[in-house]
Amino acid sequence: MRWLLVGMAALLLTAPATAASRAHRCITGDYQPKAKTAAAKPGQSEKERARNAARAARRQARQVRRNRESCYRWGATRFVTRRYTDAHAAWLPLAESGHARAQFGLYKLYAGGLGVERADAKKAYKWLAMAAEAGLPNAQYTMGDVLLRGKGVKQDQSGAVGWYEKASEQGHAEARFKLAALYFAGIGVAKDIPKSLALYRASAEAGHPAALTTMGVFYFNGRVFKKSEVKARDWWIKAAMAGEVNAMVFLARIYHNSTQLARDYPQAYVWYTLAAERGDGQAKKERAALLRVIRSIELRRGKARLAEIRPKVK
């Protein structure tokens, strides 16, 4: 027990000092560990000394990388807890030395006027561009958004497509979905329906909720694929289970009013209710209409099914 008390006391005494030293290191950008010079052993050859020096240099480089990542995480923790001035102080030295995630963090601070005197679109764009050029997928996607909408910069739809392409190539799901929409509408790029559909399908198969919903819409309206309420329902089930409210409403309607499938009022009740619980006003109105025609036994089944499925929906 005594050793435990001693250990706890030592921890309490050293923790604040450790936190303070880390804060100092992060704010000053001093990531170098304390130098440890090992004395040369008697009789050591020149080759052995050079090998040991190389090992020491590699250890030091690893420690510098760990210190940099530690400082990035310290800044991220400060950002999440809304201590934005600290986040800015931690990220600035990192960003200036080429740390892409810190550069992206500074973009958020300057874009939102957080931890700085005021919002500064020019500085925000500067840091965002650096992070995107460094290959950070989230920054590349955000560059696409900024250029597409012309947020603080001149609108450039073609440039937006290029950045979405880069982010998509790195597996960024939202960028791939946006790219599909742009190819479908011919915005910033020549209209290419086959490529758009391939991107939509890839996004949907990767589980992107909005892409799953869109695939269902394509099958339901019959303008892109041959009309199939069965396939529409199957896509919408996946999207609804992923928490997509629009898909919940579409799914409820297909169970409520389908022309190709047997109507299923209990299932319609389930999905109208889940959409209504997420704030969809139209779902509330359509559920009220359903309740005027649903039989009591069907309503009981719907409530039982709702209790079963609700915990499984994201």
Side-chain angles (χ1 to χ4, degrees), residues 234-265:
D234 293 345
W235 285 111
W236 286 339
I237 287 173
K238 293 175 183 178
M241 292 300 294
E244 182 71 13
V245 176
N246 286 334
M248 293 177 188
V249 176
F250 296 154
L251 191 55
R253 287 173 181 165
I254 213 171
Y255 284 125
H256 190 180
N257 302 305
S258 176
T259 58
Q260 291 185 1
L261 299 170
R263 296 182 182 182
D264 189 332
Y265 286 172

Side-chain angles (χ1 to χ4, degrees), residues 38-267:
K41 294 180 181 178
Q44 220 175 25
S45 69
E46 190 68 30
K47 189 175 181 180
E48 286 175 318
R49 282 197 294 272
R51 191 162 50 239
N52 289 339
R55 287 198 197 102
R58 286 195 296 271
R59 281 196 301 271
Q60 186 169 15
R62 284 194 298 269
Q63 188 59 52
V64 167
R65 288 194 296 271
R66 283 194 289 266
N67 288 345
R68 285 167 60 84
E69 284 306 304
S70 174
C71 287
Y72 171 76
R73 290 193 299 271
W74 185 77
T77 300
R78 292 301 187 273
F79 182 87
V80 170
T81 55
R82 301 184 180 182
R83 297 170 70 175
Y84 300 121
T85 303
D86 284 351
H88 181 275
W91 284 341
L92 183 59
L94 287 168
E96 289 174 337
S97 63
H99 193 288
R101 283 176 294 157
Q103 291 166 346
F104 189 51
L106 287 182
Y107 155 73
K108 294 177 184 177
L109 294 175
Y110 280 108
L114 306 172
V116 292
E117 288 184 11
R118 61 184 182 279
D120 188 326
K122 188 175 180 180
K123 284 186 179 179
Y125 184 77
K126 168 193 142 183
W127 290 115
L128 176 61
M130 290 175 71
E133 291 287 358
L136 190 69
N138 282 341
Q140 293 172 336
Y141 167 74
T142 305
M143 273 289 284
D145 269 0
V146 166
L147 293 174
L148 185 66
R149 299 175 189 175
K151 293 164 61 177
V153 296
K154 185 179 178 181
Q155 188 179 45
D156 182 358
Q157 294 176 337
S158 177
V161 169
W163 284 111
Y164 285 142
E165 291 272 17
K166 289 180 180 181
S168 177
E169 287 168 3
Q170 295 200 70
H172 196 287
E174 193 63 33
R176 185 163 47 193
F177 178 72
K178 289 276 184 74
L179 201 54
L182 295 177
Y183 274 108
F184 192 86
I187 296 173
V189 68
K191 193 170 185 174
D192 190 334
I193 299 298
K195 184 166 185 176
S196 169
L197 296 180
L199 288 165
Y200 272 129
R201 185 175 291 277
S203 295
E205 289 175 350
H208 189 280
L212 290 164
T213 303
T214 303
M215 288 295 292
V217 170
F218 287 157
Y219 277 107
F220 183 80
N221 64 29
R223 295 173 188 169
V224 177
F225 303 123
K226 183 179 178 181
K227 182 176 176 65
S228 171
E229 290 189 7
V230 173
K231 290 183 178 179
R233 178 202 61 191
D234 293 345
W235 285 111
W236 286 339
I237 287 173
K238 293 175 183 178
M241 292 300 294
E244 182 71 13
V245 176
N246 286 334
M248 293 177 188
V249 176
F250 296 154
L251 191 55
R253 287 173 181 165
I254 213 171
Y255 284 125
H256 190 180
N257 302 305
S258 176
T259 58
Q260 291 185 1
L261 299 170
R263 296 182 182 182
D264 189 332
Y265 286 172
Q267 286 282 32

